[in-house]
Amino acid sequence: FILCSTIIRSLTIFVNNKASNYGGALYALRNLTITNTDFKDNKVNGSGGAIYTRNGRATYSTIYDRGAPAYTVANKLYYQLYIKGNCVFENNVAENEGGAIFVGANDYAIDDDLLGYLNIAKDVSFINNNASNAGAISIEYCESFINGVDFTNNYANIGGGGAIAATGKSTLIIDKSNFNNNFAEEYGGSIFSVNQLNITNSNFKSSKEMDFINYYGHEDNEYEGCLYLKNNNMDGNILPLVSIDT
């Protein structure tokens, strides 16, 4: 359980750890940087099979303005998760969301602001992770960047996002990454997103009969976003490879 900014590096291995609610191996409420670390066979009965991170509990300030009644405002707490360089997440399981990683806000996300920052870059692999939703990574209320990452055989066994699900007011930018044989029971064999989604220079391949990307653009979606795809390779055996729900 991590309450302060922490760096984990130098060939650390987290194996066969278990938790009841949050984070099979790590549960962090502050900034967390991870390099050269493996997470294998960790399990949680809740969310975040290997890692669970979110903003800490809100604090409140009372504002006194001359001539007006006093009022209370919530102080926003932000978190950052960096993962880079020779990290492997393999065979991690979450009963709920994020087979390997859950990044999100507390239930009382303030004004729907982006409260987190996620950056996963180069030589990071997610293999055979499993959850009800978001087989590898679940993202909520978070600005997210994924660059040069491999996702293979991750599985959402009930809902959507075989590799990644980005919900709430999240932005997800992906570049130079590979998605191979990921699967979801409902929608988005590789990715499910409800807000801004940018994917460039990436490869999608699967032998499974399912779309790679499901972008939710229904008129009842309270978040405004867009879908941007450029210079990607998609090799699948079912159409459409990209589904847009409107």
Side-chain angles (χ1 to χ4, degrees):
F1 185 66
I2 298 172
L3 289 174
C4 60
S5 296
T6 303
I7 298 175
I8 299 173
R9 60 188 179 189
S10 300
L11 300 177
T12 305
I13 301 176
F14 293 85
V15 181
N16 288 325
N17 298 285
K18 295 182 180 180
S20 297
N21 296 310
Y22 308 115
L26 296 175
Y27 176 18
L29 295 180
R30 291 294 185 270
N31 298 345
L32 180 61
T33 300
I34 298 171
T35 61
N36 299 314
T37 299
D38 290 348
F39 293 82
K40 297 184 177 181
D41 300 306
N42 301 289
K43 184 176 181 180
V44 65
N45 293 333
S47 296
I51 299 172
Y52 182 100
T53 184
R54 67 180 186 183
N55 60 310
R57 181 170 296 278
T59 58
Y60 296 87
S61 298
T62 301
I63 307 299
Y64 297 93
D65 191 1
R66 181 180 298 177
Y71 60 96
T72 301
V73 297
N75 302 311
K76 299 170 185 176
L77 296 177
Y78 299 88
Y79 61 91
Q80 298 177 340
L81 174 60
Y82 295 88
I83 301 173
K84 55 187 178 180
N86 299 313
C87 293
V88 177
F89 293 79
E90 186 173 4
N91 296 329
N92 300 289
V93 177
E95 292 293 328
N96 294 338
E97 300 180 22
I101 297 172
F102 176 94
V103 289
N106 273 317
D107 293 339
Y108 41 80
I110 304 165
D111 299 329
D112 286 340
D113 277 359
L114 295 175
L115 297 180
Y117 177 85
L118 170 67
N119 192 314
I120 305 177
K122 295 182 179 179
D123 299 320
V124 179
S125 298
F126 292 84
I127 306 167
N128 294 329
N129 300 287
N130 187 311
S132 295
N133 293 285
I137 304 174
S138 179
I139 301 167
E140 294 182 358
Y141 295 94
C142 185
E143 183 180 15
S144 307
F145 298 87
I146 294 174
N147 188 321
V149 178
D150 293 333
F151 295 86
T152 304
N153 292 330
N154 300 288
Y155 177 41
N157 59 60
I158 294 178
I164 303 171
T167 59
K169 188 179 180 180
S170 295
T171 64
L172 176 57
I173 299 175
I174 299 172
D175 187 41
K176 298 175 183 175
S177 296
N178 299 305
F179 295 82
N180 296 308
N181 284 321
N182 301 287
F183 186 72
E185 287 295 334
E186 289 292 331
Y187 35 77
S190 291
I191 299 169
F192 171 72
S193 175
V194 302
N195 203 32
Q196 181 179 342
L197 174 61
N198 293 26
I199 306 174
T200 56
N201 307 307
S202 296
N203 300 304
F204 294 79
K205 186 174 182 179
S206 180
S207 60
K208 304 179 186 301
E209 294 186 356
M210 188 164 203
D211 57 355
F212 290 123
I213 300 166
N214 183 275
Y215 182 78
Y216 184 84
H218 278 275
E219 61 181 11
D220 60 352
N221 181 6
E222 60 183 307
Y223 306 110
E224 295 181 1
C226 63
L227 171 64
Y228 178 80
L229 304 174
K230 182 179 179 181
N231 197 33
N232 301 294
N233 296 314
M234 296 187 179
D235 182 5
N237 64 357
I238 191 172
L239 294 176
L241 299 177
V242 178
S243 300
I244 301 175
D245 290 337
T246 58

